[in-house]
Amino acid sequence: MFREMRRKKQQIPDNEAIAILENGKTGILAVNGDNGYPYTVPLNYMFYKGTIYFDGAREGDKVDGIKNNSKVSLRVISQDKIVTEK
């Protein structure tokens, strides 16, 4: 289904990935947009019983992209850490 990860040391276990989804609130959804161009949109989501629900209108670019190709990607950032230069 998916290509094997090249940097396997960076892969996290499924239970950690699920915890990130359960504790997160926002994500970036990527879909195939008009004419095959990528389209991303930040959104609020909820992970409940193995399903991701997200807030949004019932029409628009995001929904059209999902209808045209249900293969999408959701990126959730669990924490940001900015390291200032020394």
Side-chain angles (χ1 to χ4, degrees):
M1 181 162 138
F2 291 105
R3 189 182 291 195
E4 189 172 309
M5 198 167 167
R6 188 170 54 90
R7 294 185 175 182
K8 293 180 185 180
K9 289 185 203 176
Q10 295 178 348
Q11 186 171 359
I12 61 173
D14 288 351
N15 63 326
E16 286 184 40
I18 290 169
I20 290 170
L21 287 170
E22 289 174 337
N23 295 315
K25 295 178 184 152
T26 58
I28 301 167
L29 182 72
V31 301
N32 279 321
D34 293 342
N35 299 316
Y37 284 93
Y39 176 76
T40 63
V41 60
L43 48 75
N44 296 321
Y45 78 92
M46 181 177 84
F47 184 72
Y48 181 71
K49 293 186 178 182
T51 301
I52 298 170
Y53 299 89
F54 55 86
D55 188 27
R58 295 184 183 262
E59 58 184 38
D61 292 334
K62 173 179 59 189
V63 175
D64 290 347
I66 294 169
K67 285 179 182 176
N68 291 331
N69 186 343
S70 63
K71 293 179 181 176
V72 302
S73 176
L74 178 68
R75 179 176 204 146
V76 176
I77 300 170
S78 62
Q79 63 182 9
D80 283 339
K81 183 177 181 181
I82 298 172
V83 179
T84 57
E85 289 187 46
K86 295 181 180 180

